[in-house]
């Protein structure tokens, strides 16, 4: 009894350590890390703050609208907040730290049931220091944390069915299954898939698994009853999922699918070693159960298999967040490691103990040493030798293996710092927003702060989230707008990988350069190819008979920016100038035309102003394709992305020089009072055939004929293109009734500070808030 109590005390100490460790990491910088906590808080306040509760509507997240975040976690945490009065973020941190720590006890129970008591203690320790379980806390995947506990707990009760009468078994497991359905849709799907797979195989051949058909059929009843318990919610959620989910609606956003396949792929080589756990489990099953396919072990095999297969869904073009499936395989993998350590320690302990027994009588030991060695030998029982090896393996795993929160990650603080979003100045801004802005104000912010702002300031917030992190079709448009408004004023896109995208490259006073981007055929994200750099573009002119004056383009004041758009073409117009002249750049994209027309017009504002020289600098890629005359056209290649760009000079420059990644174009204007410079530019994805990029000669041989053909056909339509997509920040702000912009990146401050459309209303060292004049109701 005393030994049993000591073991239970050890287990409780591991649990308490896990809870304190997680809570300390969560509150290491006062505020919990991660941005998703904002989403969860917005769900709570959408539930508790409205009259008629609608679990499928979020008033604040990504501008407000349909929500498919299942509310089980949020209902529970809202109750804790109301009962304790804890600050919102503290309640979140405490609840999820507790549930994550309970995984320690759950791992112990299911490992003890399937394998052994000693392996169960090892599994408990491994779960306590598991990087992936803790990391999910740090990026704020809170509902998933809860269900990662509920799944193994339900499986444990399944395996313990024979210890219960039917009523308590069905009541307990049905409540757990219903909680799964109410808390996290993906977890519920994985749980049901594992259960059905095990039941199906056991029904086909029950004797092979050492179980009766009746036993495994009982595993299905809790799923049915649990679904009935939460059926009122599921009946509402199912049609919403089928119509609004980007993954299940059948009309998923192209942006979500493309971005997910570009950025969230989990390569097979990373996952393949984990599949080896399955045959290893079967070998251990043979050792422990005297059969390869014992039902409890087969459950673990299906648990790993069902979790890993979807990680390769991209091979079938299925757009899911593939990394999320990996979390479901972590617990069985950790339990496998525990069993491996248990058997390894037992094996070495047995070998050493047997060796000592066989050699004890044959060793010649001096009498003075004999007693000391005998005492040590007597004290080192097989059990203690086992403990030494088990401790060594645990320490080795903790210190060396990257799947644990060891020194590799500064014991978790480096990962915590990576996900940390909130700090005191940002929190102060949220409090200012709650106190000083109307409740119906619509905000725009970056992806991370925007989620906190919507959830804790309780204001509809359009967050600049990349599409691969979105799950609803309705979120894509608002998130895309937020990304655009924080990056540029104008975008023209021809919706083709054969035609470039054009945008104004940023801040209101500092840049406004035409930027030509490649719509790449292998990734969602376009890449910049040509950038006309105003910081290095110069103009030389004279006023009357005075000496020549030299001015850099970026030194001229921005007088006007606008975009003109009709069905056939769109033009971004930027006018800069001083008291003597205006410099206007018009960048025109025509539907179905591969080349963009860039026209520079210099206009004197009074008599006696004459232009002598213009020196234009264009930033581009490092590999040049040398044409026979650089004053006619120049070509460039980005070998890494397999993209090609070309400039065609409608107005012939006096000189066209190239140094790595930079083109300098010098134009002689011969003292004119009005002048125009025109060129064409394109950039697009080319062949992925490596042989075309193997050497300069190979690139010249492949691309020079393309350049020659482009000179002939530059302004001819190349395909039946869809309509132009045009982003105009003024009209978009008006259409969405944007009230405020909250920016954290100080580098984009000139974009808003110097634009009369915005006025600064709050600033500290971490964030500035701009009011949109004329849109605030």
């Amino acid at each position: 009894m005393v030994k049993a109590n000591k073991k239970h005390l050890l287990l409780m100490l591991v649990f308490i350590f896990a809870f304190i460790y997680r809570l300390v990491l969560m509150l290491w910088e006062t505020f919990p890390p991660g941005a998703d906590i904002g989403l969860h808080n917005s769900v709570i306040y959408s539930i508790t703050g409205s009259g008629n509760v609608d679990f499928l509507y979020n008033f604040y997240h990504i501008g407000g609208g349909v929500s498919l975040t299942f509310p089980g976690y949020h209902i529970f945490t809202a109750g804790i907040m109301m009962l304790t009065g804890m600050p919102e973020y503290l309640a979140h941190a405490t609840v999820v730290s507790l549930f994550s720590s309970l995984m320690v006890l759950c791992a112990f129970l299911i490992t003890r049931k399937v394998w052994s008591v000693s392996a169960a203690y090892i599994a408990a320790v491994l779960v306590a220091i598991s990087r992936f379980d803790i990391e999910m806390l740090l990026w704020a995947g809170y509902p998933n944390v809860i269900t990662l506990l509920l799944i193994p707990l339900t499986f444990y009760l399944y395996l313990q069915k024979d210890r219960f009468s039917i009523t308590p078994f069905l009541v307990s497991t049905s409540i757990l299954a219903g909680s799964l359905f109410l808390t996290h849709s993906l977890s519920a799907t994985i749980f049901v898939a594992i259960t059905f797979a095990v039941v199906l195989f056991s029904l086909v051949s029950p004797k092979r698994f050492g179980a009766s058909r009746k036993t495994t059929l009982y595993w299905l009843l809790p799923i049915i009853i649990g679904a009935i318990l939460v059926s009122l919610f599921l009946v509402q959620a199912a049609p919403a999922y089928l119509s609004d989910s980007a993954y299940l609606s059948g009309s998923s956003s192209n942006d979500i699918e493309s971005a997910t396949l570009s950025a969230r792929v989990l390569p097979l080589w990373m996952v393949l070693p984990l599949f080896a756990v399955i045959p290893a489990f079967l070998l251990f099953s043979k050792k422990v159960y005297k059969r390869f396919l014992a039902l409890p072990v087969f459950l673990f095999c299906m648990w790993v298999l069902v979790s890993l297969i979807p990680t390769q869904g991209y091979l079938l073009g299925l757009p899911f967040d593939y990394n999320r499936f990996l979390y479901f395989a972590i617990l069985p993998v950790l339990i496998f490691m525990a069993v491996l350590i248990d058997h390894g320690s037992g094996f070495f302990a047995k070998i050493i103990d047997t060796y000592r027994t066989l050699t004890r009588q044959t060793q010649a030991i001096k009498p003075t040493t004999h007693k000391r060695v005998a005492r040590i030998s007597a004290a080192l029982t097989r059990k203690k030798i086992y403990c030494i090896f088990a401790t060594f393996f645990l320490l080795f795993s903790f210190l060396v293996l990257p799947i644990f929160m060891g020194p590799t990650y500064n014991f978790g603080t480096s990962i915590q710092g990576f996900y940390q979003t909130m700090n005191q100045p940002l929190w102060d801004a949220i409090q200012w927003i709650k106190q000083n802005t109307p409740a119906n104000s619509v905000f725009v912010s970056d992806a991370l702060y925007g989620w906190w702002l919507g959830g804790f300031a309780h204001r509809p917030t359009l967050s600049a989230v990349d599409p691969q992190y979105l799950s609803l079709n309705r979120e894509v448009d608002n998130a895309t707008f937020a990304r655009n408004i924080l990056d540029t004023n104008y975008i023209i896109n021809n919706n083709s990988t054969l035609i470039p995208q054009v945008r104004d490259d940023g801040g209101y006073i500092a840049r406004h350069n035409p930027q030509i981007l490649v719509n790449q055929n292998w990734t969602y994200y376009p890449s910049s190819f040509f950038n006309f750099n105003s910081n290095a573009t110069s103009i030389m002119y004279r006023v009357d008979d005075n000496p020549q004056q030299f001015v850099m383009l970026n030194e001229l004041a921005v007088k006007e920016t606008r975009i003109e758009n009709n069905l056939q073409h769109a033009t971004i117009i930027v006018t800069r100038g001083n008291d003597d002249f205006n410099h206007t750049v018009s960048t025109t994209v025509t539907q179905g035309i591969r080349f963009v027309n860039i026209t520079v017009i210099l206009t004197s504002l009074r008599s006696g102003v004459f232009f002598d020289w213009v020196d234009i600098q264009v930033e581009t890629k490092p590999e040049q394709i040398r044409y026979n005359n650089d004053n006619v056209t120049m070509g460039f290649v980005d070998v890494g992305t397999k993209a090609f760009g070309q400039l065609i000079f409608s107005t012939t420059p006096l000189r066209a020089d190239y140094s790595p990644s930079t083109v300098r174009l010098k134009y002689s204007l011969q003292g004119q009072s009005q002048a125009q410079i025109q060129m064409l530019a394109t950039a697009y994805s080319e062949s992925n055939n490596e042989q075309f990029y193997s050497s300069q000669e190979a690139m010249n041989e492949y691309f020079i004929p393309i350049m020659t053909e482009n000179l002939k056909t530059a302004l001819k339509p190349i395909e039946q293109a869809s309509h132009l997509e045009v982003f105009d920040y003024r009209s978009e702000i008006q259409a969405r009734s944007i009230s405020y912009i909250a920016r954290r990146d100080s580098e984009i401050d000139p974009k808003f500070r110097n634009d009369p459309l915005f006025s600064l209303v709050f600033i500290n060292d971490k964030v500035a808030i701009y009011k949109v004049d004329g849109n605030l109701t």
Side-chain angles (χ1 to χ4, degrees):
M1 179 65 73
V2 173
K3 290 183 178 180
N5 288 336
K6 286 184 178 179
K7 289 182 178 180
H8 292 156
L9 176 62
L10 174 63
L11 182 62
M12 291 309 299
L13 288 175
V14 174
F15 164 72
I16 292 169
F17 161 78
F19 175 69
I20 294 174
Y21 179 43
R22 283 157 169 75
L23 190 59
V24 167
L25 278 180
M26 289 288 284
L27 301 176
W28 188 257
E29 295 186 34
T30 304
F31 303 97
D36 286 38
I37 185 175
L39 163 63
H40 302 310
N41 215 54
S42 69
V43 172
I44 288 174
Y45 275 86
S46 294
I47 294 172
T48 61
S50 59
N52 296 321
V53 175
D54 186 351
F55 292 125
L56 298 173
Y57 196 90
N58 190 318
F59 291 95
Y60 312 111
H61 188 61
I62 315 288
V66 172
S67 171
L68 297 181
T69 303
F70 281 26
Y73 161 79
H74 310 90
I75 294 170
F76 181 86
T77 305
I80 297 297
M81 289 179 183
M82 289 186 285
L83 288 173
T84 64
M86 280 194 292
E88 300 156 341
Y89 63 84
L90 182 58
H92 285 287
T94 304
V95 168
V96 294
S97 295
L98 175 62
F99 274 89
S100 180
S101 304
L102 288 172
M103 280 279 290
V104 169
L105 303 181
C106 191
F108 173 84
L109 291 173
I110 196 167
T111 308
R112 183 182 65 177
K113 169 61 182 173
V114 178
W115 303 107
S116 67
V117 174
S118 53
Y121 282 105
I122 295 171
V125 174
L126 294 179
V127 170
I129 57 175
S130 167
R131 170 200 155 187
F132 290 97
D133 291 310
I134 298 172
E135 189 171 5
M136 182 172 282
L137 292 179
L138 300 181
W139 62 256
Y142 299 160
N144 210 165
V145 170
I146 307 302
T147 55
L148 286 178
L149 169 69
L150 297 179
I151 289 173
L153 182 56
T154 308
F155 285 150
Y156 170 71
L157 293 179
Y158 278 1
L159 296 174
Q160 291 281 61
K161 176 194 166 294
D162 293 338
R163 294 187 58 184
F164 298 95
S165 61
I166 189 62
T167 300
F169 170 77
L170 288 179
V171 168
S172 58
T173 53
S174 297
I175 290 174
L176 291 174
S179 300
L180 268 167
F181 290 133
L182 191 63
T183 303
H184 196 249
S185 58
L186 183 60
S187 298
T189 302
I190 293 294
F191 167 73
V192 171
I194 296 170
T195 304
F196 269 84
V198 174
V199 171
L200 178 63
F201 280 100
S202 63
L203 288 177
V204 172
S205 182
K207 291 183 179 181
R208 186 181 296 273
F209 295 95
S212 67
R213 288 187 174 94
K214 182 178 179 181
T215 296
T216 52
L217 281 173
Y218 272 120
W219 290 18
L220 299 180
L221 288 178
I223 294 176
I224 298 170
I225 298 172
I228 293 172
L229 290 176
V230 295
S231 58
L232 291 179
F233 169 74
L234 294 179
V235 166
Q236 290 181 311
Y241 240 94
L242 294 175
S243 61
D244 294 292
S245 171
Y247 303 135
L248 300 179
S249 64
S251 57
S252 68
S253 164
N254 234 5
D255 288 350
I256 292 179
E257 181 174 348
S258 299
T260 301
L261 292 172
S262 298
R264 300 296 288 172
V265 167
L266 202 60
L268 182 60
W269 66 264
M270 293 181 64
V271 178
L272 203 56
L274 296 179
F275 282 98
V277 171
I278 296 173
F281 268 140
L282 298 178
L283 292 175
F284 282 128
S285 177
K286 180 66 173 177
K287 178 177 175 61
V288 176
Y289 291 94
K290 311 304 178 187
R291 63 172 73 225
F292 285 112
L293 290 175
L295 182 64
V297 179
F298 185 69
L299 170 63
F300 273 80
C301 293
M302 287 297 101
W303 195 343
V304 174
L305 186 64
V306 171
S307 302
L308 293 183
I309 286 178
T311 65
Q312 303 305 300
Y314 67 91
L315 298 174
L316 301 176
L318 301 175
F320 287 101
D321 189 348
Y322 312 107
N323 294 266
R324 295 290 292 273
F325 293 102
L326 198 58
Y327 286 99
F328 297 103
I330 295 304
L331 182 58
V333 169
L334 291 178
I335 291 174
F336 166 74
M337 290 185 63
V339 175
L340 192 62
I341 291 173
D342 177 49
H343 279 74
S345 301
F347 172 78
F348 287 117
K350 180 180 179 181
I351 292 294
I352 292 174
D353 190 52
T354 302
Y355 175 78
R356 288 191 314 161
T357 301
L358 293 175
T359 59
R360 185 175 294 131
Q361 301 301 324
T362 61
Q363 289 181 339
I365 303 174
K366 294 180 180 180
T368 54
T369 312
H370 180 76
K371 292 181 181 180
R372 190 181 313 122
V373 174
R375 284 197 302 269
I376 296 174
S377 180
L380 282 177
T381 62
R382 181 181 295 190
K383 183 179 293 187
K384 289 185 178 179
I385 296 172
Y386 168 89
C387 291
I388 291 171
F389 274 100
T391 302
F392 168 77
F393 288 134
L394 284 171
L395 285 174
F396 177 83
S397 301
F398 177 64
L399 296 174
V400 176
L401 298 183
I403 62 173
F404 299 106
M405 283 294 195
T408 305
Y409 306 106
N410 292 322
F411 305 101
T413 56
S414 60
I415 294 181
Q416 178 274 332
F418 175 80
Y419 288 110
Q420 188 68 38
T421 298
M422 186 55 55
N423 54 40
Q424 193 60 51
L426 295 175
W427 184 254
D428 291 341
I430 286 177
Q431 302 312 305
W432 182 89
I433 290 168
K434 291 175 70 174
Q435 298 167 11
N436 295 279
T437 65
N440 63 344
S441 301
V442 180
F443 278 75
V444 173
S445 191
D446 63 87
L448 303 180
Y449 189 52
W451 287 29
W452 272 85
L453 200 158
F456 288 88
H458 312 151
R459 300 293 187 271
T461 304
L462 280 62
S463 306
V465 183
D466 285 338
Q468 65 267 27
Y469 301 109
L470 302 174
S471 58
L472 291 171
N473 291 322
R474 67 101 181 156
E475 296 173 335
V476 175
D477 185 51
N478 282 340
T480 301
F481 161 76
R483 292 200 313 276
N484 290 342
I485 193 66
L486 294 175
D487 179 63
T488 184
N489 286 347
Y490 308 108
I491 298 175
I492 307 172
N493 197 3
N494 219 329
N495 291 302
S496 171
T497 58
L498 299 175
I499 300 174
Q501 181 188 116
V502 173
R503 63 171 60 199
D504 173 286
D505 79 343
Y508 188 78
I509 193 68
R511 293 179 291 187
H512 282 306
N513 303 313
Q515 188 176 29
I516 312 299
L517 300 93
V518 179
N519 284 318
Q520 300 180 104
N521 58 13
W522 57 274
T523 180
Y524 167 78
Y525 296 96
S527 65
S528 176
F529 202 99
F530 291 118
N531 193 59
F532 291 75
N533 187 357
S534 59
N535 294 349
T537 294
S538 60
I539 302 165
M540 190 170 289
Y541 71 103
R542 288 174 289 112
V543 178
D544 297 325
D545 295 326
N546 296 320
Q548 288 181 328
Q549 298 187 44
F550 175 87
V551 63
M552 300 299 293
L553 182 57
N554 66 300
E555 296 172 354
L556 299 176
V558 176
K559 294 184 175 181
E560 180 188 28
T561 67
R562 71 180 191 275
I563 191 166
E564 296 178 351
N565 179 32
N566 61 37
L567 294 177
Q568 297 300 318
H569 64 265
T571 303
I572 299 172
I573 300 171
V574 178
T575 299
R576 307 171 189 257
N578 54 23
D579 293 337
D580 297 325
F581 69 91
N582 281 342
H583 176 283
T584 300
V585 178
S586 299
T587 309
T588 301
V589 179
T590 302
Q591 182 177 333
I593 303 296
R594 173 173 278 174
F595 278 80
V596 176
N597 187 308
I598 300 170
T599 302
V600 178
I601 298 176
L602 290 164
T603 307
S604 60
L605 298 181
R606 57 193 178 93
S607 61
V609 175
F610 305 101
F611 301 104
D612 294 325
W613 301 93
V614 171
D615 195 344
I616 298 174
Q617 180 168 301
V618 185
E619 297 169 352
T620 185
K621 300 303 177 181
E623 302 294 337
Q624 183 188 10
I625 306 300
R626 297 301 300 267
Y627 202 68
N628 55 13
N629 188 346
D630 283 346
N631 285 9
V632 174
T633 185
M634 300 178 79
F636 307 92
V637 173
D638 185 350
V639 176
T641 64
K642 304 297 185 291
F644 168 72
Q646 185 175 357
L647 299 174
I648 297 176
F649 306 118
S650 305
T651 303
T652 305
L654 180 67
R655 292 179 57 187
D657 299 325
Y658 176 76
S659 58
S661 303
T662 303
V663 177
R664 300 192 70 89
L665 304 173
K666 193 173 187 66
Y667 290 89
S668 174
L669 304 183
Q670 302 176 343
Q672 300 177 74
S673 60
Q674 312 285 333
Q676 177 174 296
I677 298 169
Q678 193 173 51
M679 68 184 74
L680 303 177
T682 190
Y684 53 89
S685 287
E686 254 297 343
S687 171
N688 292 326
N689 192 330
E690 289 288 348
Q691 71 179 25
F692 297 145
Y693 306 89
S694 59
S695 66
Q696 185 66 52
E697 292 74 18
M699 289 190 288
N700 289 344
E701 183 179 353
Y702 179 73
F703 285 105
I704 286 178
I706 293 176
M707 294 173 65
T708 302
E709 182 64 22
N710 284 342
L711 286 171
K712 302 174 184 176
T713 62
L715 298 180
K716 292 183 179 179
I718 61 169
E719 63 177 24
Q720 190 67 34
S722 59
H723 69 282
L724 296 175
E725 280 187 4
V726 175
F727 172 78
D728 177 359
Y729 82 109
R730 290 190 184 93
S731 61
E732 292 283 349
I733 285 174
Q734 180 91 23
R736 299 170 195 273
S737 301
I738 304 301
S739 309
Y740 295 91
I741 308 285
R743 71 99 192 117
R744 290 195 300 163
D745 183 0
S746 59
E747 290 188 2
I748 65 171
D749 214 42
K751 173 179 170 59
F752 302 107
R753 185 185 293 274
N754 298 294
D755 190 328
L757 184 62
F758 306 99
S759 58
L760 182 67
V761 293
F762 176 91
I763 190 169
N764 60 28
D765 61 339
K766 293 296 182 181
V767 64
I769 299 173
Y770 291 89
K771 186 175 79 170
V772 180
D773 293 328
N775 262 10
L776 189 62
T777 56

